[in-house]
């Protein structure tokens, strides 16, 4: 991760302070500016996975992943750390994304499901599949007023929804729903659909997902996305590999103007990799090789991204915006 940041003329700073004590992993961080402060929400895993005899796995001691929130004091320190929902719950929470709504208040979206919990045994329940939930964040930094948006198949049992990105545009709430094709749902206006076939040659047809909401550049919007596929180690062991890419849309959201034809970041087994075991301690599976942002903004001439690495740790990437722009090629 550090080497790839340096290749972008930037730096990566691992977040070390203010994390929940004793938790085995902290990842999927989302940062957002609000009222002149930088807030961060992230996914934290209290206990490891354990694989049963039939290879079905669970969070040990019935403690699924939770979401924490705090203020980013500097690139390696979080202050005021607390659970986003302080009360006990049955669901596993993951992939938070903070955003500021048209009313200038702070909100959070996240994915909820019974994934890997002891309640994952009733397929007729809505949260048996991942669903996107949106909450307001009140003055105590508690998630309140939960809503399950009726977008896509979010209210359909047995259908998974995730990797949405809510954002404010022209004082109207928008949701970047998908990448191939690019679909933006709007609160009051018609749905926007943009052809993104140009990404086919970049991703080699791999499953492709939205990473961040569009970042306004003035003349257009910078969009980050990710794709994944299986890869092999030198010893022939398979693992899931993620890549991060970027492209630029025009300011009116009608077409792709520029695209980076190579991955901006690629997951690496050289970073910390968590290995999960069965209940006897025998290795069974490992976390994916992934470097993904869940929040970002432009600060002066610098691109700032909050990155999760290998579903194990997280930090802040800073690099010159010019470095990313110089990689772009105009779409014919």
């Amino acid at each position: 991760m550090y080497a790839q940041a340096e290749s972008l003329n930037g730096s990566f700073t691992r977040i070390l302070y203010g994390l929940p004590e004793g938790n085995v992993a902290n990842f999927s961080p989302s940062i957002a500016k609000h009222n002149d402060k930088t807030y961060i929400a992230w996914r934290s895993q209290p206990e490891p996975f354990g694989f049963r005899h039939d290879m079905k796995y669970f969070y040990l001691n019935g403690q699924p992943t939770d979401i924490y929130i705090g203020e980013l004091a500097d690139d390696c320190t979080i202050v005021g750390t607390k659970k986003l929902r302080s009360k006990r719950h049955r669901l596993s929470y993951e992939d938070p994304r903070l955003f500021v709504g048209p009313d200038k208040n702070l909100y959070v979206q996240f994915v909820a499901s019974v994934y890997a919990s002891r309640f994952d045994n009733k397929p007729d329940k809505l949260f048996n599949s991942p669903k996107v939930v949106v909450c307001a964040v009140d003055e105590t930094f508690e998630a309140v007023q939960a809503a399950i948006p009726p977008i896509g198949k979010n209210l359909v049992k047995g259908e998974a929804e995730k990797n949405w990105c809510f954002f404010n545009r022209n004082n109207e709430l928008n949701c970047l729903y998908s990448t191939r094709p690019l679909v933006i749902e709007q609160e009051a206006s018609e749905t926007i659909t943009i052809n993104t076939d140009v990404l086919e040659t970049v991703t080699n047809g791999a499953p492709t997902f939205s990473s961040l909401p569009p970042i306004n550049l003035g003349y257009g919007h910078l969009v980050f996305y990710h794709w994944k596929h299986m890869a092999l180690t030198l010893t022939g062991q398979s693992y899931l590999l993620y890549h991060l890419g970027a492209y630029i849309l025009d300011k009116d959201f009608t077409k792709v103007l520029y695209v980076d034809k190579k991955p901006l970041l690629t997951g690496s087994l050289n970073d910390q990799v968590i290995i999960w075991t069965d209940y006897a301690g025998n290795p069974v599976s490992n976390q994916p090789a992934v470097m993904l942002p869940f929040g970002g903004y432009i600060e002066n001439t610098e691109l700032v991204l909050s990155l999760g690495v290998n579903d194990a740790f997280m930090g802040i990437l800073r690099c010159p915006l010019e470095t990313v722009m110089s990689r772009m090629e105009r779409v014919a």
Side-chain angles (χ1 to χ4, degrees):
M1 179 65 249
Y2 296 93
Q4 292 191 53
E6 289 177 4
S7 72
L8 297 173
N9 302 314
S11 63
F12 176 79
T13 303
R14 182 169 177 171
I15 296 174
L16 296 172
Y17 308 108
L19 300 173
E21 185 175 355
N23 286 16
V24 298
N26 295 277
F27 53 103
S28 302
S30 172
I31 52 174
K33 293 280 192 182
H34 185 244
N35 292 339
D36 298 323
K37 294 184 178 180
T38 302
Y39 295 103
I40 182 168
W42 71 97
R43 180 181 178 184
S44 187
Q45 187 166 336
E47 297 275 1
F49 286 119
F51 281 78
R52 203 168 59 184
H53 62 88
D54 59 358
M55 291 297 100
K56 186 174 177 63
Y57 55 92
F58 300 89
Y59 293 111
L60 297 185
N61 297 318
Q63 294 194 59
T65 55
D66 227 317
I67 294 174
Y68 283 76
I69 189 170
E71 182 184 343
L72 194 65
D74 56 47
D75 286 359
C76 67
T77 307
I78 300 170
V79 296
T81 300
K82 68 176 292 290
K83 283 186 178 181
L84 188 66
R85 288 198 66 200
S86 55
K87 296 181 180 178
R88 286 184 60 86
H89 55 84
R90 296 183 175 185
L91 299 177
S92 175
Y93 295 158
E94 57 184 272
D95 297 355
R97 287 180 172 91
L98 295 169
F99 65 95
V100 177
D103 58 2
K104 310 305 180 185
N105 290 322
L106 187 64
Y107 292 86
V108 62
Q109 63 168 97
F110 57 91
V111 174
S113 71
V114 294
Y115 172 71
S117 77
R118 61 189 178 90
F119 302 102
D120 187 9
N121 56 8
K122 297 179 180 179
D124 61 326
K125 299 297 183 180
L126 181 65
F127 286 101
N128 189 67
S129 299
K131 301 297 180 185
V132 177
V133 179
V134 177
C135 293
V137 179
D138 69 12
E139 63 277 1
T140 67
F141 296 98
E142 187 82 6
V144 297
Q145 300 173 337
I148 307 172
I151 298 174
K153 297 180 179 180
N154 207 37
L155 298 182
V156 180
K157 295 178 181 178
E159 298 288 348
E161 289 285 4
K162 58 190 310 183
N163 294 303
W164 298 2
C165 302
F166 283 94
F167 63 102
N168 178 24
R169 175 173 174 255
N170 297 331
N171 292 318
E172 181 180 3
L173 185 61
N174 283 232
C175 174
L176 176 53
Y177 174 72
S178 66
T179 296
R180 296 286 315 278
L182 188 141
V183 175
I184 298 176
E185 299 287 352
Q186 302 187 92
E187 188 173 16
S189 306
E190 293 184 1
T191 299
I192 297 172
T193 302
I194 302 174
N195 185 310
T196 52
D197 288 349
V198 67
L199 303 181
E200 177 75 17
T201 56
V202 182
T203 65
N204 291 317
T208 306
F209 311 94
S210 304
S211 302
L212 297 178
I215 297 176
N216 192 349
L217 300 173
Y219 66 90
H221 295 84
L222 178 61
V223 183
F224 292 94
Y225 68 103
H226 58 276
W227 68 98
K228 62 181 181 179
H229 59 84
M230 298 305 297
L232 294 175
T233 66
L234 295 177
T235 60
Q237 180 183 0
S238 63
Y239 66 100
L240 188 57
L241 179 63
Y242 281 75
H243 308 273
L244 179 70
Y247 58 94
I248 297 175
L249 298 172
D250 68 321
K251 64 179 181 180
D252 296 320
F253 287 97
T254 64
K255 60 183 178 181
V256 178
L257 295 178
Y258 301 91
V259 63
D260 185 351
K261 293 186 177 181
K262 295 181 180 179
L264 188 71
L265 296 172
T266 292
S268 173
L269 297 180
N270 291 325
D271 288 305
Q272 177 187 355
V273 177
I274 296 177
I275 298 175
W276 304 124
T277 70
D278 60 22
Y279 289 110
N282 301 306
V284 175
S285 177
N286 57 269
Q287 293 289 69
V290 55
M291 299 178 187
L292 286 187
F294 287 79
Y297 50 79
I298 295 171
E299 191 171 74
N300 299 318
T301 60
E302 198 170 50
L303 176 66
V304 183
L305 298 176
S306 53
L307 288 174
V309 182
N310 292 2
D311 288 358
F313 64 94
M314 62 185 189
I316 302 298
L317 170 70
R318 292 179 178 270
C319 72
L321 180 62
E322 181 183 0
T323 300
V324 178
M325 296 296 100
S326 66
R327 298 166 54 96
M328 298 290 175
E329 298 182 35
R330 180 177 285 278
V331 175

